[in-house]
């Protein structure tokens, strides 16, 4: 349609109908019929869209070639009774690539997407997809079923209902359609009415149901710094292959294990490291699809070598960015890692932002110190800290340093030193030689003091080290000065005589 050159199908005919052959599916055509009369020639024009071809298997769609917004490609159908034409393609979240589908429903409205038709019977198919929910207020469930007419929602028949259980995590689902017994040929995913639901949907796939079913309910448990147990359920076979590796590894490059049980222990892992694991069944003359990926992270372990430094690089920035293996919290999203501009020559432009309000205590608890190798009383912490430049009785500018016995219970915190910060980043040093037996977690606390409502503290370049035999002098101050003299004092912290 839109071409200026016409293809002449018939030179002359007295018939009132014709069949046009050799057309291409999913293509819009324009046809013109010219009527030759004694008093002149008159034409009539009509346009039509040829139907879509039924698609082969396997099928995959991650929506990355679709334009953002509400316009879907031909051969896909969508519908809603809401005022906005959901579903839509968005860029806010994606499991792979850059886009996903945003579904929406409310107490009175629904939305759905119907896939193109496939070349095989609908009851021989399995549909897979990933869902993500971004709040805990609503169910975010999706109905999976079949439609006889993809433009008419009343023809939808439900086969299953699924919903993500975790917040801000992509969860993958598989629904077999072998229980469907109707005549429909269009798979549909529905965000149903009578409940608020607006999940994000990505990595949609359709394949033939395999007699050798993929293992289900794959989980990681009994996780330590170096080991993890992986278990699953399977009713078809007792032979399995497990492949695992660091998070994001390419299938075929991981470590492969075989087992005749429904669980396996992974050993020799690295502490504080995220891993991915997949499981597949081995049947007689066949293998199952790989299970959906299961993620787990090994435990942090203890700080067993000194000195140990933290500059907050590699953990991202923003209100959800926190150093791994630290225990953080106390008020809203604080503390979190943020970009700073006044680092005065630091090797990093990142800092842990510890803002507190009212009586809230915002805390940052470092990983556990190995008390056998390094008892707390043998160590000290050196760090750089500063505050904002606001001068007001409503603001305090302090950071409290101490130790905790339990990194999940701030009531076990014993304060050791309260430091007054300035707007200029300065290095501070706190030794723990007086706190033997009081804890093994070095802890920083930000809280409003001296009647103030707010407290601001920035922290970076944190380092744990052994207390040196010859310690730095402490409390260095200038007590008086003239135009050509100055008196300074300091405190001796060790055994220096000169």
């Amino acid at each position: 349609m839109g071409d200026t050159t016409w293809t002449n199908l018939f030179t002359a005919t007295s018939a009132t109908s014709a069949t046009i052959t050799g057309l291409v599916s999913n293509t819009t055509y324009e046809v013109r019929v010219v009527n030759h009369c004694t008093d002149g020639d008159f034409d009539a024009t009509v346009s039509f869209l040829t139907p879509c071809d039924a698609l082969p298997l396997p099928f995959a769609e991650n929506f990355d070639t679709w334009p953002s917004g509400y316009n879907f490609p031909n051969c896909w159908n969508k519908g809603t009774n809401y005022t906005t034409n959901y579903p839509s393609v968005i860029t806010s979240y994606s499991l792979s690539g850059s886009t996903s589908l945003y579904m929406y429903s409310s107490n009175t409205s629904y939305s759905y997407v119907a896939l193109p038709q496939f070349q095989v019977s609908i009851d021989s198919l399995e549909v897979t997809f990933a869902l993500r929910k971004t709040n805990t207020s609503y169910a975010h469930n999706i109905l999976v079923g079949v439609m006889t007419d993809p433009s008419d929602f009343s023809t939808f028949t439900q086969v299953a209902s699924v919903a993500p259980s975790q917040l801000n995590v992509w969860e993958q689902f598989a629904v077999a359609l072998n229980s469907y017994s109707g005549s429909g040929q269009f798979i549909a995913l529905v965000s149903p009415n009578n409940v608020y639901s607006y999940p994000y949907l990505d990595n949609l796939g359709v394949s033939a149901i395999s007699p050798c079913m993929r293992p289900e309910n794959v989980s990681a448990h009994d996780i330590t710094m170096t080991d993890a147990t992986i278990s699953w359920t399977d009713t078809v076979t007792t032979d399995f292959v497990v492949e695992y590796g660091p998070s994001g590894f390419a299938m075929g490059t991981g470590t492969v294990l075989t087992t005749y049980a429904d669980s396996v222990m992974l050993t020799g892992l690295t502490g504080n490291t995220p891993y991915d694991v997949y499981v597949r069944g081995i049947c007689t003359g066949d293998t199952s699809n790989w299970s959906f990926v299961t993620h787990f992270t090994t435990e942090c372990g203890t700080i067993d070598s000194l000195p140990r430094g933290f500059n907050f690089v590699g953990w991202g920035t923003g209100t959800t960015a926190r150093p791994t293996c630290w225990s953080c919290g106390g008020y809203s999203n604080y503390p979190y890692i943020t970009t700073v501009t006044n680092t005065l020559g630091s090797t990093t432009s990142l800092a842990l932002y510890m803002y507190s309000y009212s009586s809230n205590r915002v805390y940052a608890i470092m990983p556990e110190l190995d008390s056998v190798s390094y008892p707390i009383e043998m160590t000290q912490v050196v760090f750089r800290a500063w505050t904002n430049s606001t001068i007001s009785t409503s603001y305090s500018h302090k950071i409290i340093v101490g130790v905790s016995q339990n990194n999940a219970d701030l009531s076990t915190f014993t304060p050791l030193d309260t430091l007054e910060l300035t707007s200029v980043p300065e290095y501070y040093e706190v030794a723990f030689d007086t706190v033997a037996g009081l804890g093994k977690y070095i802890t920083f606390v930000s809280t409003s003091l001296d009647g103030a409502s707010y407290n601001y503290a920035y922290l970076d370049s944190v380092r744990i080290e052994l207390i040196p035999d010859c310690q730095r002098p402490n409390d260095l101050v200038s007590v008086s000065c003239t135009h050509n003299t100055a008196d300074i004092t300091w405190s001796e912290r060790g055994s220096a005589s000169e």
Side-chain angles (χ1 to χ4, degrees):
M1 184 173 178
D3 290 345
T4 57
T5 302
W6 293 82
T7 299
N8 190 13
L9 298 178
F10 307 101
T11 56
T13 181
S14 59
T16 58
S17 66
T19 298
I20 305 173
T21 60
L23 303 181
V24 178
S25 66
N26 187 30
T27 303
T28 300
Y29 289 90
E30 191 172 15
V31 177
R32 183 175 62 181
V33 177
V34 179
N35 192 5
H36 295 286
C37 303
T38 56
D39 55 350
D41 295 340
F42 301 91
D43 62 27
T45 304
V46 66
S47 62
F48 59 88
L49 175 67
T50 52
C52 298
D53 281 334
L55 299 180
L57 298 177
F59 169 82
E61 180 58 71
N62 65 5
F63 311 107
D64 288 338
T65 61
W66 295 23
S68 298
Y70 301 95
N71 295 321
F72 282 20
N74 290 339
C75 306
W76 289 73
N77 283 269
K78 58 181 289 192
T80 183
N81 61 343
Y82 190 63
T83 53
T84 302
N85 189 23
Y86 293 113
S88 62
V89 178
I90 54 89
T91 57
S92 302
Y93 302 98
S94 65
L95 175 57
S96 63
S98 58
T99 60
S100 64
L101 277 190
Y102 177 54
M103 310 291 289
Y104 179 87
S105 64
S106 68
N107 286 335
T108 58
S109 63
Y110 63 84
S111 67
Y112 74 89
V113 56
L115 282 67
Q117 185 176 352
F118 293 94
Q119 294 175 352
V120 298
S121 175
I122 204 80
D123 60 359
S124 67
L125 299 180
E126 177 185 70
V127 58
T128 59
F129 53 90
L131 295 177
R132 179 188 180 103
K133 70 175 181 179
T134 56
N135 67 64
T136 57
S137 300
Y138 308 111
H140 301 287
N141 60 308
I142 287 290
L143 307 183
V144 182
V146 181
M147 301 178 74
T148 56
D149 181 352
S151 64
D152 183 357
F153 182 60
S154 67
T155 68
F156 174 76
T157 298
Q158 178 181 334
V159 173
S161 177
V162 299
S165 60
Q166 302 180 66
L167 183 66
N168 291 321
V169 173
W170 285 101
E171 295 183 52
Q172 294 177 298
F173 299 89
V175 175
L177 302 176
N178 54 336
S179 63
Y180 178 73
S181 59
S183 59
Q185 286 296 310
F186 298 92
I187 299 171
L189 306 176
V190 178
S191 189
N193 60 359
N194 70 45
V195 60
Y196 280 92
S197 179
Y198 37 91
Y200 298 86
L201 187 152
D202 204 357
N203 286 24
L204 181 61
V206 179
S207 60
I209 297 174
S210 171
C212 190
M213 302 292 289
R214 67 160 55 86
E216 298 181 334
N217 303 316
V218 181
S219 64
H221 52 91
D222 298 329
I223 302 168
T224 70
M225 187 170 65
T226 59
D227 305 324
T229 297
I230 309 300
S231 60
W232 56 88
T233 58
D234 192 299
T235 59
V236 178
T237 183
T238 57
D239 296 354
F240 303 96
V241 176
V242 177
E243 183 171 355
Y244 68 94
S247 182
F249 82 96
M251 291 294 292
T253 66
T255 300
V256 177
L257 303 174
T258 58
T259 180
Y260 301 103
D262 57 4
S263 67
V264 67
M265 177 178 284
L266 312 183
T267 60
L269 306 178
T270 303
N272 186 29
T273 301
Y275 285 90
D276 293 344
V277 61
Y278 302 83
V279 183
R280 77 185 314 175
I282 307 299
C283 304
T284 302
D286 195 8
T287 58
S288 76
N289 291 324
W290 286 101
S291 67
F292 297 126
V293 64
T294 296
H295 308 283
F296 69 93
T297 300
T298 49
E299 291 187 346
C300 294
T302 59
I303 297 176
D304 57 3
S305 64
L306 293 180
R308 176 74 175 272
F310 300 86
N311 62 7
F312 306 117
V313 171
W315 292 310
T317 60
T319 57
T320 61
R322 291 175 170 175
T324 302
C325 298
W326 290 48
S327 177
C328 298
Y331 173 64
S332 187
N333 293 316
Y334 300 97
Y336 60 82
I337 300 171
T338 187
T339 303
V340 292
T341 56
N342 59 341
T343 54
L344 297 184
S346 170
T347 57
T348 175
S349 60
L350 303 176
L352 191 64
Y353 179 32
M354 301 184 66
Y355 166 81
S356 61
Y357 171 70
S358 187
S359 60
N360 296 290
R361 294 195 297 172
V362 169
Y363 58 87
I365 303 176
M366 298 185 69
E368 179 182 351
L369 192 64
D370 186 336
S371 58
V372 175
S373 300
Y374 301 105
I376 189 72
E377 63 270 19
M378 295 174 55
T379 66
Q380 64 184 21
V381 62
V382 181
F383 60 94
R384 200 174 58 158
W386 67 97
T387 184
N388 66 2
S389 58
T390 303
I391 305 299
S392 169
T393 57
S394 298
Y395 296 82
S396 61
H397 307 92
K398 302 178 187 294
I399 193 166
I400 305 170
V401 184
V403 296
S404 298
Q405 294 179 341
N406 187 335
N407 68 342
D409 184 1
L410 198 58
S411 68
T412 67
F413 172 64
T414 299
L416 181 62
D417 204 350
T418 300
L419 304 173
E420 182 76 32
L421 307 179
T422 71
S423 60
V424 178
E426 296 183 26
Y427 280 96
Y428 299 87
E429 179 183 281
V430 176
F432 301 103
D433 48 350
T434 62
V435 296
L438 294 181
K440 50 189 176 182
Y441 298 94
I442 297 173
T443 303
F444 300 90
V445 172
S446 169
T447 189
S448 303
L449 299 173
D450 305 325
S453 298
Y454 313 94
N455 191 78
Y456 290 84
Y458 293 87
L459 181 69
D460 81 347
S461 301
V462 181
R463 185 177 75 254
I464 306 175
E465 61 186 24
L466 290 172
I467 298 174
D469 293 334
C470 189
Q471 300 182 50
R472 300 178 185 87
N474 202 11
D475 303 323
L476 178 64
V477 295
S478 171
V479 294
S480 65
C481 64
T482 68
H483 66 282
N484 59 1
T485 64
D487 294 327
I488 59 174
T489 66
W490 61 89
S491 300
E492 166 56 32
R493 297 173 53 232
S495 56
S497 58
E498 296 180 353

